[in-house]
């Protein structure tokens, strides 16, 4: 099975050519980081810093997906999206927003956006969201099935972003999914709060332990509710995911 340098199954267009992604953000540093992460997936990526440049690039690139900032110097992302759909009606759009009010989310979906992430975000989350959008839209060729993450009766399909325990679907938020994925990639290994913050949130430790504690409690309510617990606290050390022993 072909994989990217990140170790994930490689995704391509149905004809086998690289997926095309346009990144639109007026922060040049953020745009550079995003384009680098997406090129790491083996995709063809271009960046634009405003709405006019985005539309010009879209006409040349004909992107399969667009990572689109809501706030741009010459217009807003919603207006850009409407014009993008004239160029490429089937394009998948992932909004980047510093705002998480319900009305902003509704505006993005109403405008035709497929998903959104709120700043600050992890690069892994952006890549995972795009992979999911492209596959669900049929824009990407499904790679040969590789092994799913499995710890005991807990199973995670990373591409479909689905988790089951004992065959029952476990509904997770994006952050809960990333936290569980980190735990499942390191079964039986005690992970410190600092390691989890760095991997899931890309934060320095700096006293944010309560964030990890909060999301671990969320996971326990969903993964361990009514079942033998798999997520354990190791006092003074961190957390560990272990299969249930019978």
């Amino acid at each position: 099975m072909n994989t990217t340098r990140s170790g994930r199954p490689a995704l391509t267009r149905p004809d086998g050519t690289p997926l095309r992604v346009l990144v639109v953000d007026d922060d040049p540093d953020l745009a550079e980081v995003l384009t680098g992460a997406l090129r790491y997936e083996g995709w063809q990526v271009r960046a634009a810093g405003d709405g006019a440049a985005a539309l010009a690039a879209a006409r040349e690139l004909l992107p399969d997906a667009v990572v689109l900032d809501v706030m741009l110097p010459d217009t807003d992302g919603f207006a850009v999206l409407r014009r993008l759909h004239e160029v490429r009606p089937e394009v998948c759009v992932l909004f980047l927003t510093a705002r998480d009010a319900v009305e902003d989310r509704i505006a993005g979906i109403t405008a035709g956006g497929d998903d959104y992430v709120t700043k600050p975000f992890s690069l892994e989350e952006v890549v995972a969201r795009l992979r999911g959008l492209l596959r669900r839209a049929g824009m990407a060729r499904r790679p040969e099935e590789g092994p799913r993450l499995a710890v005991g009766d807990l199973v995670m399909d990373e591409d479909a972003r689905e988790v089951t325990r004992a065959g029952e679907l476990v509904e997770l938020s994006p952050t809960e999914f990333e936290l569980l994925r980190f735990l499942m990639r390191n079964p039986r290994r005690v992970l410190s709060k600092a390691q989890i913050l760095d991997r899931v949130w890309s934060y320095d430790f700096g006293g944010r332990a309560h964030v990890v504690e909060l999301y671990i409690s969320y996971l326990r309510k969903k993964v361990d509710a009514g079942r033998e617990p798999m997520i354990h606290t190791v006092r003074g050390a961190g957390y560990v995911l272990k299969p249930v022993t019978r």
Side-chain angles (χ1 to χ4, degrees):
M1 179 178 61
N2 293 332
T3 60
T4 68
R5 286 182 291 173
S6 60
R8 285 184 284 263
L11 286 185
T12 67
R13 306 179 84 208
D15 63 3
T17 58
L19 286 160
R20 302 169 185 170
V21 183
L22 176 62
V23 174
V24 186
D25 198 294
D26 63 339
D27 181 337
D29 293 332
L30 179 56
E32 182 178 359
V33 169
L34 281 169
T35 55
L38 299 179
R39 286 185 180 126
Y40 198 67
E41 294 294 307
W43 300 347
Q44 182 180 348
V45 188
R46 289 187 60 175
D50 57 40
L55 292 170
R59 292 187 185 98
E60 294 180 9
L61 182 65
L62 295 178
D64 302 300
V66 178
V67 181
L68 180 59
D69 192 8
V70 170
M71 302 298 293
L72 296 170
D74 57 345
T75 184
D76 64 58
F78 307 137
V80 172
L81 175 56
R82 287 190 286 271
R83 296 290 303 279
L84 281 171
H85 277 159
E86 296 173 7
V87 177
R88 185 84 160 135
E90 67 273 32
V91 70
C92 297
V93 176
L94 177 66
F95 274 119
L96 304 179
T97 176
R99 304 175 298 184
D100 60 358
V102 172
E103 56 267 27
D104 293 325
R105 304 178 199 176
I106 294 172
I109 300 301
T110 302
D114 298 287
D115 203 351
Y116 75 95
V117 291
T118 304
K119 298 178 181 179
F121 50 78
S122 73
L123 292 175
E124 278 251 339
E125 180 179 3
V126 172
V127 172
R129 295 287 189 94
L130 282 175
R131 287 171 65 93
L133 288 178
L134 288 162
R135 287 187 58 186
R136 287 192 295 272
M139 305 286 282
R141 184 174 64 184
R142 189 179 184 92
E144 298 174 39
E145 284 293 336
R148 299 179 179 183
L149 293 178
V151 180
D153 62 356
L154 184 65
V155 178
M156 172 180 286
D157 184 327
E158 294 183 277
D159 282 339
R161 295 185 71 80
E162 290 183 352
V163 175
T164 59
R165 181 160 183 198
E168 295 183 13
L169 188 65
V170 180
E171 296 284 352
L172 300 176
S173 72
T175 302
E176 291 164 354
F177 184 91
E178 294 302 324
L179 174 55
L180 182 60
R181 172 154 57 180
F182 187 41
L183 293 172
M184 291 185 71
R185 285 181 173 175
N186 296 274
R188 299 184 178 87
R189 176 185 172 194
V190 178
L191 301 169
S192 69
K193 292 175 183 177
Q195 286 175 310
I196 294 171
L197 279 168
D198 180 65
R199 180 64 176 75
V200 179
W201 283 272
S202 301
Y203 288 169
D204 292 328
F205 186 50
R208 297 183 177 88
H210 66 282
V211 174
V212 178
E213 294 166 2
L214 181 63
Y215 275 88
I216 287 288
S217 72
Y218 292 161
L219 269 189
R220 281 180 166 142
K221 290 175 184 176
K222 295 182 177 183
V223 172
D224 287 344
R227 306 178 178 97
E228 288 290 321
M230 295 181 68
I231 301 171
H232 304 272
T233 300
V234 180
R235 291 190 58 138
Y239 303 96
V240 60
L241 181 76
K242 297 189 293 186
V244 174
T245 55
R246 301 290 182 185

